Amino acid sequence: MEELAKLISERTGLPAEQAQAAAQTAIDFIKSKLPESMAGYVDTALNSGMVDEVAAQATNLLGGLFGRKQ
């Protein structure tokens, strides 16, 4: 999660403490939308160094959901 918080801080300019809170909020939200058996995959992805890839995919998905033109 530290890597995700750092990425949030870099991309948004938030101080580290606020970026950490934002990261935890995002992770908790994502886990709440997944079946319980899948929530562990979120932790695995975050702890395996895949944050940049996951963040890029999430950005693309969320951008599409909110009408970003590609």
Side-chain angles (χ1 to χ4, degrees):
M1 182 166 76
E2 295 300 321
E3 188 178 353
L4 178 58
K6 182 180 175 193
L7 185 63
I8 290 170
S9 181
E10 290 171 358
R11 291 189 180 180
T12 65
L14 287 172
E17 188 175 299
Q18 289 179 334
Q20 185 77 20
Q24 188 62 57
T25 299
I27 291 166
D28 292 344
F29 175 78
I30 291 167
K31 286 181 174 181
S32 76
K33 299 299 179 181
L34 294 172
E36 192 172 322
S37 62
M38 299 289 292
Y41 290 109
V42 173
D43 293 325
T44 299
L46 291 171
N47 293 323
S48 69
M50 295 173 37
V51 172
D52 287 333
E53 181 180 332
V54 171
Q57 291 176 4
T59 299
N60 289 336
L61 174 63
L62 292 173
L65 289 173
F66 292 107
R68 183 190 74 220
K69 295 179 181 174
Q70 297 186 7

